[in-house]
Amino acid sequence: MISFKILEEKFLAYLVCSVVPFLAFSIFFADLVCSILSIFFIIYLIKHNSIFFYKNIIFVATLFFYFLCLFSSLLSEETLFSLKSSLPLIRIIIFIFLVSFLIENNKFFLDIFYNFLKYTFLILVFYGLVLYIYEYYFSLSNSTIAYVRLKLPFSDEQKLGSLLVRLYGLLIAIYILKKNYKKFENFLLFFLTIFTSVVILLSGERSSLFFLMLFILTCLISLNVSFKIKISFFFILFTSFALILTQNSNLSERMILDKNNDLKFSSNQKELIIFTSKHTAHYVSGFKMFKDKPFAGQGPRMFRLLCDKEGYKTIINDKKSCSSHPHNTYIQLLAEIGVFGTILFSLIFFHIIFIHVKHIILKIFFKKNTLTNYQVIISTSALIVVWPFSPSGNFFNNWMLIICALPLSFYFNEFFRYNFYNKK
């Protein structure tokens, strides 16, 4: 039997888990740790001739996705520029499977990961509340500030809500899996859930608020929890949100009543406006790039170089299409890597939808549960990563790739598990 002693050590678990706080405090160190660990895992597998690892169909599929990205870069107008995004993508794929392996085979990993998540969230929620109170009262004395946007610590990135909504499900899922229900821990997680949701609202990130609602509604429908608990939680959360929004007109106008948020046909131009005119311009430009190269795509990272060129440039209601990315994951994938890579990525979405619909139908009509509570939360966390019908960040951004890798690691481990120890 192949020895995996190094991968079972506590030190390695701590090193992997350190990515969680680094995502909040230093993307450079998060990326550095991710890269070093990925290289280590590749070397280790090759050294021990662990060829069975590559037989995992999910790993093969992700490698195929990677080579499609490389192929698109090689055919792009700026090959070297595009390769800067596609080449390093392999480290994220390896990191996903390293985490997936540790979940299954490192006895320390889940406990350490849970504690890293819990304390990181406690710090970030406290930080978010204090920052909001300070920024809110500062904005009251400064009429030029329309609303407050919460940033990550030591950064100008307005991604606090995005980090919280993408990782909080993992904290709840691991707690459920551990089955160590202490009274204090129950209360802590309940209040942490409420305050995390509040900070996501206060962050001013509309996409993060939408993902929060998607996560909560999916879990309320699919979780095997008493109706009384579900209603109590929903009532407390709804009341908290209502109080905040009624007390802060600027926040409510940005998150709920913003006149720029349109989903309608423009009477003047007779064209569909999705979310905002600016978003629509991004999407139209992305589709033009896809139509030009439907199979290979323009190349990862190429949207920012091509969006202002003739043939792709789009202006809707004086809003231009040019940006670093088209603000939708699937439109970005269609434009930059083509239809085959997009279909491959979308299979995750369809799988999650299928297992949830199956679970809900059997639960309602046959009183049968096909998913455990752990599986519901893990798959819903992964659903946020692959959701197609909302604005999103840059798919090839390092921070986004790493933060999305964590839910996918748990999802792949649970639904496409491949046990190393079954092989000799």
Side-chain angles (χ1 to χ4, degrees), residues 244-262:
I244 292 170
L245 291 173
T246 53
Q247 293 297 315
N248 189 334
S249 59
N250 287 336
L251 183 64
S252 61
E253 286 177 7
R254 163 152 178 90
M255 303 298 281
I256 309 295
L257 306 172
D258 192 343
K259 294 179 180 179
N260 292 320
N261 293 335
D262 293 325

Side-chain angles (χ1 to χ4, degrees), residues 266-302:
S266 171
S267 58
N268 295 328
Q269 300 184 3
K270 295 183 179 180
E271 56 188 7
L272 183 64
I273 303 298
I274 304 176
F275 301 113
T276 68
S277 297
K278 193 168 186 178
H279 282 95
T280 307
H282 294 324
Y283 301 161
V284 173
S285 183
F287 273 117
K288 287 179 180 178
M289 294 180 195
F290 166 65
K291 287 171 65 179
D292 189 36
K293 288 187 176 181
F295 300 111
Q298 303 291 342
R301 208 182 179 198
M302 288 300 296

